[in-house]
Each structure stands twice: as C-alpha cells, then as structure tokens.
Amino acid sequence: MVERIDAKNIEPMLKKLIDIAATVEPNLSDRLKEIDRWAGQEKAGFLTSRKFLMAFLAEIIEDAQIWLTLQENEIQSAHEEYNEECQQRLAQEMTPPLAYWYSELFPLWFRSSDRKFSQWKNCLKSGKHSADDATELNLLVEKIQERGGNVLCRKIIDFSMSTDLIVSGRQSNTSLCVQITKMGESEQMREKIKLWEKTLKCWDIKRGLFVSLDPANFPDSIQSASNLILFNSDRMKSEGYKSFSF
C-alpha cells in the first residue's frame, strides 16, 4: 500500500529525489524532472483536487525512493559494508511482483521513451481519468490475496503497459501481468487483445493474461477469474499470452 503524501510536500520530495538520482541514475533524475515540471510545481490546492494525479505522484515518489535505496544497498553489498542480515530481510519483504517491478519494469520505464506518457499525463492533470473498474479490481485483488497470492497495482503499468495487476501465486516466484476488461466477445475486444499483446511485447513482458469479466455475473466471475489468474501464475510457461472470458 502506497502511503499518502500531503500535496504541499510533493515538490520538495521530488526535488530531493531528483538530486539523489542525478548521481545514481540520470535517466530517473530526468524522468522525475519531467514529472516535477508537469505537476510537482502546481499549487497544493490544485493537486488535492486531483485524486488520481495525487495517487500517481505518491506512487512515483515511493517507487523512486525504494529503487534508489535498493541501488545503494547493492553498492554497499558489493563493498562488503552492507549487513548480510539486513540484505536477507529486504529480500524476504520483497514479494515477486515487487521484485519484478523494481528490477525490470520500473527501470525499463524511466530509461525508455513512453509514447503513452503525454496522453495519460494530460488525462490525470485534467481530472478526466476515472477508475470505472475499481470495484471489480479491488474485489479481484482481495480474492487473490485471500488465497495466498501476491498482487501489485501501479498507474504506470496500467496506463503504459496494458497491465492492471502483477500477480504471483503460492507455488511460483514468477510474476504474471494481468489485464482486466468488462468488454464482451466482439470484434472490438479481439482488436483490443491484439493491441494488448503488442504493448506487452513492446515492454518485453513475457507472460500475460487478458481476462474479460461479465458484469452481469458477479461475484461468480470474480471468483472464477481469481482461480484462473492464480492457476496461470503458477503453471503458465515462462513465455506466452492467454485470453479468457467469463
């Protein structure tokens, strides 16, 4: 769970992270500068009025803090100055989806050109974004966690990587990227699946699951989807994309 941040603290926290990242990873520093120019310098009242924008800013600040801490730990460990017990504790606390996010997808995002970034930045800042599938996603996350699975949600993977959830099951440390939709069987959905596969390949995401839920069949479709996601997280091959409808 990402901690909330007071809107008045957004800009100073971004500035601090920009300075730290400049000596560790210039690409992250540059991406944070872009975010600061776009939203960090807005007045606190404006930011507070944009719930989803604030949620994204809190996520990016926490992710940058954790990623930079992990890099520092790696450097200390390489010089044998880092406490081995502390390193083991950090590894135990890092779930497979978090490890996948911080080791692969997050650094890939800030080191790459994200062609969707300007589009969803404008959407968040204008206040037009609405999480119309939030209820279904929250129920699905609860079901997966109840059965011992691990789940990660991030605005970046949702908007840029066609992924609502990164999931790992109880029997595998390999993460699965899951896209959820409420669209029924149609030509439009088939086109959406093609675009989804193309996006995952663009981000070098090897394992993906596309799940279409039937709003008229809740909560049964949520239960079935959670079973399907956990099964495929544990059993799906190292590479592949699958789609299912309920």
Side-chain angles (χ1 to χ4, degrees), residues 206-233:
K206 299 293 195 300
R207 302 170 82 233
L209 193 67
F210 186 100
V211 180
S212 178
L213 299 175
D214 180 3
N217 193 31
F218 292 135
D220 290 343
S221 61
I222 294 291
Q223 182 65 52
S224 298
S226 66
N227 293 338
L228 175 79
I229 290 168
L230 285 170
F231 177 85
N232 279 277
S233 178

Side-chain angles (χ1 to χ4, degrees), residues 49-229:
S49 71
R50 299 291 191 263
K51 181 176 68 171
F52 296 109
L53 173 57
M54 279 295 295
F56 164 73
L57 292 171
E59 283 183 359
I60 195 69
I61 286 172
E62 178 173 298
D63 284 336
Q65 288 173 333
I66 292 174
W67 190 85
L68 289 167
T69 298
L70 290 170
Q71 307 318 298
E72 179 184 359
N73 290 344
E74 285 186 8
I75 293 170
Q76 290 175 336
S77 178
H79 289 83
E80 297 183 354
E81 297 172 359
Y82 186 55
N83 186 292
E84 184 176 349
E85 181 180 344
C86 182
Q87 191 175 22
Q88 290 176 348
R89 179 178 55 80
L90 188 63
Q92 290 171 354
E93 292 174 353
M94 191 72 67
T95 64
L98 275 171
Y100 179 49
W101 171 240
Y102 288 121
S103 66
E104 297 190 39
L105 293 187
F106 183 55
L108 180 60
W109 177 74
F110 63 68
R111 289 169 180 159
S112 304
S113 175
D114 181 355
R115 61 184 180 83
K116 295 184 180 180
F117 193 25
S118 59
Q119 178 182 343
W120 59 261
K121 279 195 309 180
N122 293 335
C123 187
L124 283 177
K125 196 169 182 179
S126 68
K128 293 179 181 179
H129 173 67
S130 61
D132 57 358
D133 57 354
T135 299
E136 292 81 13
L137 283 177
N138 289 338
L139 286 171
L140 192 53
V141 168
E142 288 178 10
K143 289 293 182 183
I144 292 170
Q145 291 176 332
E146 283 174 5
R147 297 189 56 195
N150 296 295
V151 185
L152 179 69
C153 306
R154 283 294 186 272
K155 298 286 187 295
I156 292 169
I157 60 170
D158 180 10
F159 297 147
S160 293
M161 302 178 183
S162 295
T163 297
D164 289 303
L165 312 171
I166 302 177
V167 179
S168 68
R170 292 170 295 181
Q171 301 175 30
S172 172
N173 289 327
T174 306
S175 293
L176 178 67
C177 289
V178 183
Q179 172 82 339
I180 305 297
T181 183
K182 292 184 286 186
M183 187 182 298
E185 285 285 352
S186 63
E187 182 61 32
Q188 185 180 4
M189 190 178 85
R190 285 188 284 274
E191 289 301 317
K192 186 171 183 177
I193 291 173
K194 291 179 183 178
L195 183 59
W196 165 76
E197 287 191 17
K198 183 178 178 180
T199 301
L200 264 58
K201 289 175 182 176
C202 176
W203 289 103
D204 199 29
I205 295 172
K206 299 293 195 300
R207 302 170 82 233
L209 193 67
F210 186 100
V211 180
S212 178
L213 299 175
D214 180 3
N217 193 31
F218 292 135
D220 290 343
S221 61
I222 294 291
Q223 182 65 52
S224 298
S226 66
N227 293 338
L228 175 79
I229 290 168

